[in-house]
Amino acid sequence: MAEAERIIGTPDTPDAAGGGKERPDSEGTPAVGEPGPAAAAGASGTGEAEATAARPQGRRRIAVLFAVATFAYAIDLISKLIVVAKLEHHPPIEIVGDWLKFEAIRNAGAAFGFGEAFTVIFTMIAAAVIVVIARLARKLYSLPWAIALGLLLGGALGNLTDRIFRAPGVFEGAVVDFIAPKHFAVFNLADSAIVCGGILIVLLSFRGLDPDGTVHKD
């Protein structure tokens, strides 16, 4: 009798048979249409890998920008120091006859001697250009754009240094120009860097290349 009661009273359910544990196939099994843990990990891993690969590339482009800017600024600064020390208050030096001479000129205007009455305004514009380039560098992934912006940055810094530190006063200083082609305005290496950088930017824009490295078709 006791044996019969034991048999009848035994629950015939999965929970009772399993001691209250869930079945292994009911734990961690994704529903139909949902990505499994491996797929989700793979998708997130791909995105992280792309972001990780993009960061060093962006840093290299920024390094190129500042390397070009430093070079352009350095040669402009050195050339002006030599001109002030050796050429100012001296007769011009003929390089190619009358077609090209080195002649020290103090220019209170913009590049190539334009707008001498707006020295402070040109100083503010140069400072604004530097700030814009520095902000744009964070999204820079194009090597040609890095070179172009580096030329602009180096040239703007070169002339801004003259505006701040040369006579007649802070933000009103006259820029040192010395390259004097025949029938053309006198300019310096900073002006040349700015013009070359601007031309390169125009060419890149015509080709549809953006600073972030994307190419678009109009």
Side-chain angles (χ1 to χ4, degrees):
M1 187 66 177
E3 183 67 19
E5 289 177 355
R6 184 184 65 79
I7 295 174
I8 295 172
T10 302
D12 190 20
T13 60
D15 291 340
K21 297 181 181 178
E22 295 182 357
R23 289 179 297 176
D25 59 348
S26 66
E27 182 176 358
T29 303
V32 178
E34 292 183 357
S44 62
T46 302
E48 291 177 359
E50 292 177 353
T52 304
R55 282 195 293 268
Q57 183 180 9
R59 293 193 188 100
R60 287 194 293 269
R61 299 298 182 261
I62 294 174
V64 170
L65 186 156
F66 286 109
V68 172
T70 301
F71 177 76
Y73 177 73
I75 62 172
D76 177 69
L77 181 61
I78 293 171
S79 65
K80 289 173 179 176
L81 292 174
I82 295 173
V83 167
V84 171
K86 302 294 185 181
L87 190 57
E88 200 167 34
H89 308 302
H90 290 79
I93 298 176
E94 293 184 354
I95 305 300
V96 186
D98 290 337
W99 292 97
L100 179 62
K101 298 185 293 184
F102 285 168
E103 181 179 6
I105 299 292
R106 294 296 182 111
N107 172 26
F112 307 108
F114 298 112
E116 294 188 0
F118 303 99
T119 305
V120 176
I121 295 177
F122 292 134
T123 303
M124 296 174 62
I125 292 174
V129 168
I130 294 170
V131 173
V132 170
I133 293 174
R135 291 177 61 87
L136 186 60
R138 296 180 299 176
K139 301 179 180 180
L140 186 63
Y141 292 94
S142 168
L143 180 60
W145 269 95
I147 296 173
L149 293 177
L151 290 171
L152 283 179
L153 181 59
L157 284 172
N159 284 338
L160 184 61
T161 300
D162 284 356
R163 303 288 188 195
I164 295 175
F165 295 105
R166 296 194 185 277
V170 178
F171 300 124
E172 296 181 353
V175 174
V176 176
D177 291 334
F178 62 95
I179 304 174
K182 188 176 183 179
H183 306 308
F184 196 73
V186 184
F187 59 97
N188 56 40
L189 294 181
D191 297 333
S192 301
I194 292 172
V195 171
C196 291
I199 292 174
L200 183 55
I201 288 175
V202 171
L203 294 176
L204 294 174
S205 299
F206 272 118
R207 291 187 57 187
L209 180 62
D210 292 335
D212 62 359
T214 59
V215 180
H216 60 85
K217 300 292 184 180
D218 292 334

